[in-house]
Amino acid sequence: DVKVTQSSRYLVKRTGEKVFLECVQDMDHENMFWYRQDPGLGLRLIYFSYDVKMKEKGDIPEGYSVSREKKERFSLILESASTNQTSMYLCASSLGQRTGPEAFFGQGTRLTVV
Amino acid sequence: AQKVTQAQTEISVVEKEDVTLDCVYETRDTTYYLFWYKQPPSGELVFLIRRNSFDEQNEISGRYSWNFQKSTSSFNFTITASQVVDSAVYFCALEGSGGYQKVTFGTGTKLQVIP
Protein backbone atom coordinates (compact mmCIF):
# COMPACT_ATOMS: atom_id res chain seq x y z
CA ASP A 1 0.00 0.00 0.00
CA VAL A 2 1.08 3.54 -0.71
CA LYS A 3 2.00 5.33 2.43
CA VAL A 4 2.31 9.06 2.87
CA THR A 5 3.61 9.99 6.27
CA GLN A 6 3.55 13.42 7.83
CA SER A 7 5.96 13.89 10.67
CA SER A 8 3.54 15.45 13.14
CA ARG A 9 -0.21 15.17 13.76
CA TYR A 10 -0.34 18.27 15.95
CA LEU A 11 1.98 21.25 16.24
CA VAL A 12 1.78 24.43 18.27
CA LYS A 13 4.16 27.21 17.30
CA ARG A 14 4.61 30.83 18.22
CA THR A 15 4.14 33.76 15.89
CA GLY A 16 7.36 34.51 14.05
CA GLU A 17 8.85 31.03 14.40
CA LYS A 18 10.19 29.16 11.40
CA VAL A 19 8.16 25.99 10.98
CA PHE A 20 8.99 22.85 9.01
CA LEU A 21 6.33 20.35 8.03
CA GLU A 22 7.78 17.11 6.70
CA CYS A 23 6.21 14.60 4.37
CA VAL A 24 7.59 11.28 3.15
CA GLN A 25 6.10 8.86 0.62
CA ASP A 26 7.28 5.34 -0.02
CA MET A 27 5.98 4.58 -3.51
CA ASP A 28 8.46 6.40 -5.72
CA HIS A 29 5.83 8.90 -6.84
CA GLU A 30 6.99 11.82 -8.97
CA ASN A 31 4.37 14.29 -7.80
CA MET A 32 4.02 15.63 -4.30
CA PHE A 33 1.68 18.29 -2.99
CA TRP A 34 0.96 20.45 0.01
CA TYR A 35 -2.61 21.56 0.70
CA ARG A 36 -4.20 23.44 3.52
CA GLN A 37 -7.72 22.62 4.63
CA ASP A 38 -9.92 25.21 6.28
CA PRO A 39 -13.61 24.96 7.20
CA GLY A 40 -15.83 26.17 4.41
CA LEU A 41 -12.92 26.48 1.99
CA GLY A 42 -12.13 22.88 1.19
CA LEU A 43 -8.57 22.03 0.20
CA ARG A 44 -6.38 24.67 -1.38
CA LEU A 45 -3.10 23.89 -3.08
CA ILE A 46 -0.08 25.67 -1.64
CA TYR A 47 2.78 24.16 -3.67
CA PHE A 48 3.46 21.06 -5.65
CA SER A 49 6.55 19.35 -6.99
CA TYR A 50 6.79 17.10 -10.05
CA ASP A 51 10.43 16.12 -9.60
CA VAL A 52 13.37 16.49 -7.27
CA LYS A 53 14.32 20.13 -6.82
CA MET A 54 11.35 21.19 -8.97
CA LYS A 55 8.46 23.13 -7.51
CA GLU A 56 5.46 25.08 -8.69
CA LYS A 57 3.25 27.52 -6.86
CA GLY A 58 -0.31 26.54 -6.22
CA ASP A 59 -3.22 28.80 -5.43
CA ILE A 60 -2.01 30.19 -2.09
CA PRO A 61 1.82 30.14 -1.93
CA GLU A 62 2.24 33.40 -0.04
CA GLY A 63 4.01 32.93 3.28
CA TYR A 64 5.21 29.44 2.38
CA SER A 65 8.16 27.82 0.69
CA VAL A 66 8.99 24.21 -0.07
CA SER A 67 11.97 21.95 -0.47
CA ARG A 68 12.35 18.69 -2.34
CA GLU A 69 15.93 17.45 -2.12
CA LYS A 70 14.99 13.77 -2.39
CA LYS A 71 12.21 12.16 -4.36
CA GLU A 72 10.48 10.71 -1.33
CA ARG A 73 10.51 13.83 0.84
CA PHE A 74 8.67 17.12 0.43
CA SER A 75 8.93 19.79 3.09
CA LEU A 76 6.70 22.78 3.66
CA ILE A 77 8.34 25.75 5.32
CA LEU A 78 6.66 28.64 7.05
CA GLU A 79 9.42 31.24 7.17
CA SER A 80 7.73 33.31 9.87
CA ALA A 81 4.58 31.72 11.18
CA SER A 82 1.52 33.88 11.60
CA THR A 83 -1.82 33.22 13.26
CA ASN A 84 -3.62 33.13 9.89
CA GLN A 85 -1.56 30.07 9.04
CA THR A 86 -3.32 28.09 11.73
CA SER A 87 -4.84 25.28 9.72
CA MET A 88 -4.81 21.60 8.80
CA TYR A 89 -2.01 20.84 6.35
CA LEU A 90 -2.27 17.81 4.08
CA CYS A 91 0.51 16.29 2.05
CA ALA A 92 -0.22 14.11 -0.98
CA SER A 93 1.64 12.20 -3.66
CA SER A 94 0.72 10.75 -7.03
CA LEU A 95 2.22 9.08 -10.08
CA GLY A 96 3.61 11.34 -12.75
CA GLN A 97 1.67 10.16 -15.75
CA ARG A 98 -1.05 12.44 -17.05
CA THR A 99 -3.78 9.88 -16.62
CA GLY A 100 -5.84 11.67 -14.08
CA PRO A 101 -4.04 9.89 -11.28
CA GLU A 102 -5.54 9.78 -7.89
CA ALA A 103 -3.50 11.23 -5.09
CA PHE A 104 -2.65 9.51 -1.84
CA PHE A 105 -2.85 11.65 1.25
CA GLY A 106 -1.14 11.75 4.59
CA GLN A 107 -3.07 12.03 7.84
CA GLY A 108 -2.57 15.74 8.09
CA THR A 109 -0.80 18.08 10.48
CA ARG A 110 -2.97 20.38 12.52
CA LEU A 111 -0.87 23.48 13.09
CA THR A 112 -1.81 26.10 15.63
CA VAL A 113 0.11 29.37 15.65
CA VAL A 114 -0.26 31.34 18.86
CA ALA B 1 -11.67 29.27 -14.01
CA GLN B 2 -13.00 26.02 -12.72
CA LYS B 3 -15.22 25.52 -9.74
CA VAL B 4 -16.66 22.67 -7.70
CA THR B 5 -19.77 23.22 -5.60
CA GLN B 6 -20.92 20.94 -2.83
CA ALA B 7 -23.99 22.75 -1.62
CA GLN B 8 -24.68 20.37 1.24
CA THR B 9 -22.50 21.34 4.15
CA GLU B 10 -23.73 18.69 6.57
CA ILE B 11 -26.13 15.78 6.24
CA SER B 12 -27.44 13.50 8.97
CA VAL B 13 -29.14 10.22 8.20
CA VAL B 14 -30.22 7.26 10.24
CA GLU B 15 -28.36 4.04 9.64
CA LYS B 16 -29.63 2.01 6.68
CA GLU B 17 -31.04 5.05 4.92
CA ASP B 18 -29.81 5.93 1.46
CA VAL B 19 -28.07 9.27 1.02
CA THR B 20 -26.94 11.25 -2.02
CA LEU B 21 -24.13 13.76 -1.92
CA ASP B 22 -24.34 16.39 -4.62
CA CYS B 23 -21.45 17.76 -6.67
CA VAL B 24 -21.78 20.37 -9.39
CA TYR B 25 -18.78 21.55 -11.36
CA GLU B 26 -17.82 24.25 -13.81
CA THR B 27 -14.99 24.04 -16.32
CA ARG B 28 -14.17 25.22 -19.82
CA ASP B 29 -11.96 22.22 -20.47
CA THR B 30 -13.32 19.50 -22.71
CA THR B 31 -11.10 16.91 -21.09
CA TYR B 32 -11.17 16.67 -17.33
CA TYR B 33 -11.34 14.25 -14.44
CA LEU B 34 -13.72 14.11 -11.51
CA PHE B 35 -12.90 12.54 -8.18
CA TRP B 36 -14.54 11.71 -4.90
CA TYR B 37 -12.52 11.42 -1.70
CA LYS B 38 -13.55 10.39 1.80
CA GLN B 39 -11.98 11.98 4.87
CA PRO B 40 -12.73 9.92 7.99
CA PRO B 41 -12.11 11.36 11.47
CA SER B 42 -8.53 10.04 11.30
CA GLY B 43 -7.77 12.81 8.82
CA GLU B 44 -6.31 11.31 5.66
CA LEU B 45 -8.26 11.62 2.45
CA VAL B 46 -9.07 8.30 0.87
CA PHE B 47 -9.56 8.06 -2.85
CA LEU B 48 -12.94 6.62 -3.86
CA ILE B 49 -13.37 7.09 -7.59
CA ARG B 50 -12.02 8.83 -10.68
CA ARG B 51 -14.11 9.50 -13.75
CA ASN B 52 -12.94 11.09 -17.00
CA SER B 53 -15.11 13.47 -18.95
CA PHE B 54 -15.63 11.07 -21.83
CA ASP B 55 -17.07 8.31 -19.70
CA GLU B 56 -20.59 9.06 -18.57
CA GLN B 57 -21.34 5.53 -17.57
CA ASN B 58 -22.56 5.33 -14.02
CA GLU B 59 -20.58 3.18 -11.65
CA ILE B 60 -21.51 1.01 -8.73
CA SER B 61 -19.10 -0.36 -6.17
CA GLY B 62 -20.82 -2.23 -3.40
CA ARG B 63 -23.02 0.24 -1.53
CA TYR B 64 -21.52 3.18 -3.40
CA SER B 65 -22.72 4.49 -6.74
CA TRP B 66 -21.90 7.52 -8.81
CA ASN B 67 -24.09 9.36 -11.31
CA PHE B 68 -22.16 11.48 -13.82
CA GLN B 69 -24.26 13.76 -16.01
CA LYS B 70 -22.42 16.16 -18.30
CA SER B 71 -25.67 17.82 -19.32
CA THR B 72 -26.12 19.15 -15.80
CA SER B 73 -22.40 19.23 -14.88
CA SER B 74 -23.03 17.00 -11.94
CA PHE B 75 -21.22 14.05 -10.40
CA ASN B 76 -23.38 12.86 -7.53
CA PHE B 77 -22.47 10.15 -5.05
CA THR B 78 -25.02 7.83 -3.45
CA ILE B 79 -24.48 5.58 -0.47
CA THR B 80 -27.08 2.85 -0.17
CA ALA B 81 -28.00 1.42 3.22
CA SER B 82 -25.68 3.78 5.05
CA GLN B 83 -23.57 2.57 7.96
CA VAL B 84 -21.97 4.35 10.88
CA VAL B 85 -18.56 3.78 9.28
CA ASP B 86 -19.67 5.99 6.39
CA SER B 87 -19.57 8.99 8.71
CA ALA B 88 -16.92 11.28 7.24
CA VAL B 89 -16.37 14.38 5.19
CA TYR B 90 -16.66 13.72 1.48
CA PHE B 91 -14.91 15.87 -1.11
CA CYS B 92 -15.61 16.15 -4.79
CA ALA B 93 -12.71 17.36 -6.95
CA LEU B 94 -12.08 18.34 -10.56
CA GLU B 95 -8.81 18.10 -12.44
CA GLY B 96 -8.68 20.24 -15.54
CA SER B 97 -6.56 19.77 -18.61
CA GLY B 98 -3.70 21.66 -16.99
CA GLY B 99 -2.81 18.62 -14.95
CA TYR B 100 -2.68 18.25 -11.23
CA GLN B 101 -1.89 21.87 -10.65
CA LYS B 102 -5.43 22.53 -11.78
CA VAL B 103 -7.21 20.32 -9.27
CA THR B 104 -10.04 22.12 -7.55
CA PHE B 105 -11.72 20.66 -4.50
CA GLY B 106 -15.21 21.34 -3.30
CA THR B 107 -15.76 22.51 0.24
CA GLY B 108 -16.83 19.07 1.39
CA THR B 109 -20.00 17.52 2.78
CA LYS B 110 -19.95 16.19 6.31
CA LEU B 111 -22.04 13.05 6.57
CA GLN B 112 -23.17 11.79 9.94
CA VAL B 113 -24.80 8.39 10.08
CA ILE B 114 -26.74 7.94 13.30
CA PRO B 115 -27.10 4.41 14.66
Side-chain angles (χ1 to χ4, degrees), chain A residues 9 31 33 35 37 40-43 45 48 59 90 94 98-103 105-107, chain B residues 31 33 35 37 39 41-45 47 50 91 95-97 99-101 103 105-107:
Chain A
R9 289 297 305 273
N31 297 337
F33 312 86
Y35 290 89
Q37 181 181 1
L41 296 176
L43 275 72
L45 182 64
F48 74 98
D59 298 320
L90 291 165
S94 71
R98 175 62 181 93
T99 57
E102 67 271 25
F105 284 80
Q107 289 189 298
Chain B
T31 302
Y33 291 86
F35 300 79
Y37 287 89
Q39 186 180 39
S42 56
E44 80 278 15
L45 272 74
F47 166 80
R50 175 185 71 229
F91 289 95
E95 179 188 348
S97 60
Y100 220 91
Q101 58 268 39
V103 172
F105 282 82
T107 52

Coordinates of all heavy atoms in Angstrom, one line a residue, chain A residues 9 31 33 35 37 40-43 45 48 59 90 94 98-103 105-107, chain B residues 31 33 35 37 39 41-45 47 50 91 95-97 99-101 103 105-107:
Chain A
R9 N 1.3 15.0 13.9 CA -0.2 15.2 13.8 C -0.7 16.5 14.3 O -1.6 17.1 13.8 CB -0.9 14.1 14.6 CG -0.8 12.7 14.0 CD -1.4 12.6 12.6 NE -2.8 13.0 12.6 CZ -3.9 12.2 12.9 NH1 -3.7 11.0 13.2 NH2 -5.1 12.6 12.8
N31 N 5.0 13.1 -8.3 CA 4.4 14.3 -7.8 C 4.1 14.3 -6.3 O 3.7 13.3 -5.7 CB 3.0 14.4 -8.5 CG 3.1 14.5 -10.0 OD1 4.1 15.0 -10.5 ND2 2.0 14.2 -10.6
F33 N 2.5 17.1 -3.1 CA 1.7 18.3 -3.0 C 1.5 18.7 -1.5 O 1.5 17.8 -0.7 CB 0.3 18.0 -3.5 CG 0.2 17.4 -4.9 CD1 0.3 16.0 -5.0 CD2 0.1 18.1 -6.0 CE1 0.2 15.4 -6.2 CE2 0.0 17.5 -7.3 CZ 0.1 16.2 -7.4
Y35 N -1.3 20.9 0.6 CA -2.6 21.6 0.7 C -2.8 22.1 2.1 O -2.3 21.5 3.1 CB -3.8 20.6 0.4 CG -3.9 20.1 -1.0 CD1 -3.2 19.0 -1.4 CD2 -4.7 20.8 -1.9 CE1 -3.4 18.5 -2.8 CE2 -4.8 20.4 -3.3 CZ -4.2 19.2 -3.6 OH -4.3 18.8 -4.9
Q37 N -6.3 22.9 4.6 CA -7.7 22.6 4.6 C -8.3 23.5 5.7 O -7.9 23.4 6.9 CB -8.0 21.2 4.9 CG -9.5 20.8 5.0 CD -9.7 19.4 5.4 OE1 -8.8 18.6 5.6 NE2 -11.0 19.0 5.4
G40 N -15.1 25.4 5.4 CA -15.8 26.2 4.4 C -15.0 26.5 3.2 O -15.6 27.1 2.2
L41 N -13.8 26.1 3.1 CA -12.9 26.5 2.0 C -12.4 25.3 1.3 O -11.8 25.4 0.2 CB -11.7 27.4 2.4 CG -12.1 28.7 3.0 CD1 -10.8 29.4 3.5 CD2 -12.8 29.6 2.0
G42 N -12.6 24.1 1.8 CA -12.1 22.9 1.2 C -10.6 22.8 1.3 O -10.0 23.3 2.2
L43 N -10.0 22.1 0.3 CA -8.6 22.0 0.2 C -8.1 23.0 -0.8 O -8.6 23.1 -1.9 CB -8.2 20.6 -0.3 CG -8.0 19.6 0.8 CD1 -9.4 19.2 1.3 CD2 -7.3 18.3 0.3
L45 N -4.5 24.3 -2.8 CA -3.1 23.9 -3.1 C -2.1 25.0 -2.8 O -2.3 26.1 -3.3 CB -3.0 23.5 -4.6 CG -1.7 23.0 -5.0 CD1 -1.3 21.7 -4.3 CD2 -1.7 22.8 -6.6
F48 N 3.3 22.4 -5.3 CA 3.5 21.1 -5.6 C 4.8 20.9 -6.3 O 5.5 21.9 -6.7 CB 2.3 20.5 -6.5 CG 2.3 21.1 -7.9 CD1 2.9 20.3 -9.0 CD2 1.8 22.3 -8.2 CE1 2.9 20.8 -10.3 CE2 1.8 22.8 -9.5 CZ 2.3 22.0 -10.5
D59 N -2.3 27.7 -5.5 CA -3.2 28.8 -5.4 C -2.9 29.8 -4.3 O -3.2 31.0 -4.4 CB -4.6 28.3 -5.2 CG -5.1 27.4 -6.4 OD1 -4.8 27.7 -7.5 OD2 -5.7 26.4 -6.1
L90 N -2.2 19.2 4.6 CA -2.3 17.8 4.1 C -1.2 17.7 3.0 O -1.1 18.5 2.1 CB -3.7 17.5 3.5 CG -4.8 17.4 4.5 CD1 -6.1 17.5 3.8 CD2 -4.7 16.1 5.3
S94 N 1.4 11.5 -5.9 CA 0.7 10.7 -7.0 C 1.8 10.4 -8.1 O 2.8 11.0 -8.1 CB -0.4 11.6 -7.7 OG 0.1 12.7 -8.4
R98 N 0.1 11.6 -16.9 CA -1.0 12.4 -17.0 C -2.2 11.5 -17.4 O -2.7 11.5 -18.5 CB -0.8 13.5 -18.1 CG -2.0 14.4 -18.4 CD -2.5 15.2 -17.2 NE -3.7 15.9 -17.6 CZ -4.9 15.5 -17.4 NH1 -5.1 14.3 -16.8 NH2 -5.9 16.3 -17.7
T99 N -2.6 10.8 -16.4 CA -3.8 9.9 -16.6 C -4.9 10.2 -15.6 O -5.6 9.3 -15.3 CB -3.3 8.4 -16.5 OG1 -2.8 8.2 -15.2 CG2 -2.4 8.0 -17.6
G100 N -4.9 11.3 -15.1 CA -5.8 11.7 -14.1 C -5.6 10.9 -12.8 O -6.5 10.3 -12.3
P101 N -4.3 10.8 -12.4 CA -4.0 9.9 -11.3 C -4.6 10.4 -10.0 O -4.7 11.6 -9.7 CB -2.5 9.9 -11.2 CG -2.2 11.3 -11.7 CD -3.2 11.6 -12.8
E102 N -5.1 9.4 -9.2 CA -5.5 9.8 -7.9 C -4.3 10.1 -7.0 O -3.3 9.6 -7.2 CB -6.4 8.7 -7.3 CG -5.6 7.4 -7.0 CD -5.6 6.4 -8.1 OE1 -5.7 6.9 -9.3 OE2 -5.4 5.2 -7.9
A103 N -4.6 10.9 -6.0 CA -3.5 11.2 -5.1 C -3.7 10.5 -3.8 O -4.8 10.1 -3.4 CB -3.5 12.7 -4.8
F105 N -3.0 10.6 0.3 CA -2.9 11.7 1.2 C -2.3 11.1 2.6 O -2.5 10.0 3.0 CB -4.2 12.3 1.5 CG -4.7 13.3 0.5 CD1 -5.3 12.8 -0.7 CD2 -4.5 14.6 0.6 CE1 -5.7 13.7 -1.7 CE2 -4.9 15.5 -0.4 CZ -5.5 15.0 -1.5
G106 N -1.5 12.0 3.2 CA -1.1 11.7 4.6 C -2.3 12.1 5.6 O -3.3 12.5 5.1
Q107 N -2.0 11.9 6.8 CA -3.1 12.0 7.8 C -3.3 13.5 8.3 O -4.2 13.8 9.0 CB -2.8 11.2 9.1 CG -2.9 9.7 8.8 CD -2.8 8.9 10.1 OE1 -1.8 8.9 10.7 NE2 -3.9 8.2 10.5
Chain B
T31 N -11.6 18.1 -21.7 CA -11.1 16.9 -21.1 C -10.8 17.2 -19.6 O -10.1 18.2 -19.3 CB -9.8 16.4 -21.8 OG1 -10.1 16.2 -23.2 CG2 -9.3 15.2 -21.1
Y33 N -11.1 15.4 -15.3 CA -11.3 14.3 -14.4 C -12.1 14.7 -13.2 O -11.9 15.8 -12.7 CB -10.0 13.6 -14.0 CG -9.3 12.9 -15.1 CD1 -8.4 13.6 -16.0 CD2 -9.5 11.5 -15.4 CE1 -7.8 13.0 -17.0 CE2 -8.8 10.9 -16.4 CZ -8.0 11.6 -17.2 OH -7.3 11.0 -18.2
F35 N -13.3 13.4 -9.3 CA -12.9 12.5 -8.2 C -13.9 12.7 -7.0 O -14.5 13.8 -6.8 CB -11.5 12.9 -7.6 CG -10.4 12.8 -8.6 CD1 -10.2 13.9 -9.5 CD2 -9.5 11.8 -8.6 CE1 -9.1 13.8 -10.4 CE2 -8.5 11.7 -9.5 CZ -8.3 12.7 -10.4
Y37 N -13.4 11.9 -2.8 CA -12.5 11.4 -1.7 C -13.3 11.4 -0.4 O -14.3 12.2 -0.2 CB -11.3 12.4 -1.5 CG -10.3 12.3 -2.5 CD1 -10.3 13.1 -3.7 CD2 -9.1 11.5 -2.3 CE1 -9.3 13.1 -4.6 CE2 -8.1 11.5 -3.3 CZ -8.2 12.3 -4.4 OH -7.2 12.3 -5.3
Q39 N -12.9 11.6 3.8 CA -12.0 12.0 4.9 C -12.6 11.5 6.2 O -13.4 12.2 6.8 CB -11.7 13.5 4.9 CG -10.7 13.9 5.9 CD -10.4 15.4 5.9 OE1 -11.3 16.2 5.8 NE2 -9.1 15.8 6.1
P41 N -12.6 10.6 10.3 CA -12.1 11.4 11.5 C -10.6 11.2 11.7 O -10.0 12.1 12.2 CB -12.9 10.8 12.7 CG -14.1 10.3 12.1 CD -13.8 9.8 10.7
S42 N -10.0 10.2 11.2 CA -8.5 10.0 11.3 C -7.8 11.1 10.5 O -6.6 11.3 10.8 CB -8.1 8.6 10.9 OG -8.5 8.4 9.6
G43 N -8.4 11.7 9.5 CA -7.8 12.8 8.8 C -7.3 12.6 7.4 O -7.4 13.6 6.6
E44 N -6.8 11.4 7.0 CA -6.3 11.3 5.7 C -7.4 11.2 4.7 O -8.4 10.5 4.9 CB -5.3 10.1 5.6 CG -6.0 8.8 5.4 CD -6.4 8.2 6.8 OE1 -6.5 9.0 7.8 OE2 -6.8 7.0 6.8
L45 N -7.3 11.8 3.5 CA -8.3 11.6 2.5 C -8.0 10.3 1.8 O -6.9 9.9 1.4 CB -8.2 12.7 1.4 CG -9.0 14.0 1.7 CD1 -8.3 14.8 2.8 CD2 -9.1 14.8 0.5
F47 N -9.0 8.0 -1.5 CA -9.6 8.1 -2.9 C -10.7 7.1 -3.0 O -10.6 5.9 -2.6 CB -8.4 7.7 -3.8 CG -8.9 7.4 -5.2 CD1 -9.2 8.4 -6.1 CD2 -9.0 6.1 -5.7 CE1 -9.6 8.1 -7.4 CE2 -9.3 5.8 -7.0 CZ -9.6 6.8 -7.8
R50 N -12.4 7.9 -9.7 CA -12.0 8.8 -10.7 C -12.9 8.6 -11.9 O -13.1 7.4 -12.3 CB -10.5 8.7 -11.0 CG -10.0 9.5 -12.2 CD -8.6 9.2 -12.5 NE -8.4 7.9 -13.1 CZ -7.5 7.0 -12.7 NH1 -6.8 7.2 -11.7 NH2 -7.4 5.9 -13.4
F91 N -15.3 14.8 -0.2 CA -14.9 15.9 -1.1 C -15.0 15.4 -2.5 O -14.6 14.3 -2.9 CB -13.4 16.3 -0.9 CG -13.2 17.0 0.4 CD1 -12.8 16.3 1.6 CD2 -13.4 18.4 0.5 CE1 -12.6 16.9 2.8 CE2 -13.2 19.0 1.7 CZ -12.8 18.3 2.8
E95 N -10.1 17.8 -11.9 CA -8.8 18.1 -12.4 C -9.0 18.5 -13.9 O -9.5 17.8 -14.7 CB -7.9 16.9 -12.4 CG -6.5 17.1 -13.0 CD -5.7 15.8 -13.1 OE1 -6.1 14.8 -12.5 OE2 -4.7 15.8 -13.8
G96 N -8.6 19.7 -14.2 CA -8.7 20.2 -15.5 C -7.6 19.8 -16.4 O -6.7 19.0 -16.0
S97 N -7.5 20.2 -17.6 CA -6.6 19.8 -18.6 C -5.2 20.3 -18.3 O -4.2 19.8 -18.9 CB -7.0 20.2 -20.0 OG -7.0 21.6 -20.1
G99 N -3.5 19.6 -15.8 CA -2.8 18.6 -14.9 C -3.1 18.8 -13.5 O -4.0 19.6 -13.1
Y100 N -2.3 18.2 -12.6 CA -2.7 18.2 -11.2 C -2.6 19.6 -10.6 O -3.2 19.9 -9.6 CB -1.8 17.2 -10.4 CG -2.7 16.5 -9.4 CD1 -3.3 15.4 -9.7 CD2 -2.9 17.1 -8.2 CE1 -4.2 14.7 -8.8 CE2 -3.8 16.5 -7.3 CZ -4.4 15.3 -7.6 OH -5.2 14.7 -6.7
Q101 N -1.9 20.5 -11.2 CA -1.9 21.9 -10.7 C -3.2 22.6 -10.8 O -3.5 23.6 -10.3 CB -0.8 22.7 -11.3 CG -0.9 22.9 -12.8 CD -0.1 21.8 -13.5 OE1 0.0 20.7 -13.1 NE2 0.6 22.2 -14.6
V103 N -6.2 21.1 -10.0 CA -7.2 20.3 -9.3 C -7.9 21.3 -8.3 O -7.3 22.0 -7.6 CB -6.6 19.2 -8.4 CG1 -7.6 18.6 -7.5 CG2 -6.1 18.1 -9.4
F105 N -10.9 21.4 -5.4 CA -11.7 20.7 -4.5 C -13.0 21.5 -4.1 O -12.9 22.7 -4.0 CB -11.0 20.3 -3.2 CG -10.0 19.2 -3.3 CD1 -8.7 19.4 -3.9 CD2 -10.3 17.9 -2.9 CE1 -7.8 18.4 -4.0 CE2 -9.4 16.9 -3.0 CZ -8.1 17.1 -3.6
G106 N -14.0 20.7 -3.9 CA -15.2 21.3 -3.3 C -15.0 21.6 -1.8 O -13.9 21.2 -1.3
T107 N -15.9 22.2 -1.2 CA -15.8 22.5 0.2 C -16.1 21.4 1.2 O -15.9 21.4 2.4 CB -16.6 23.7 0.6 OG1 -18.0 23.5 0.2 CG2 -16.1 25.0 0.0

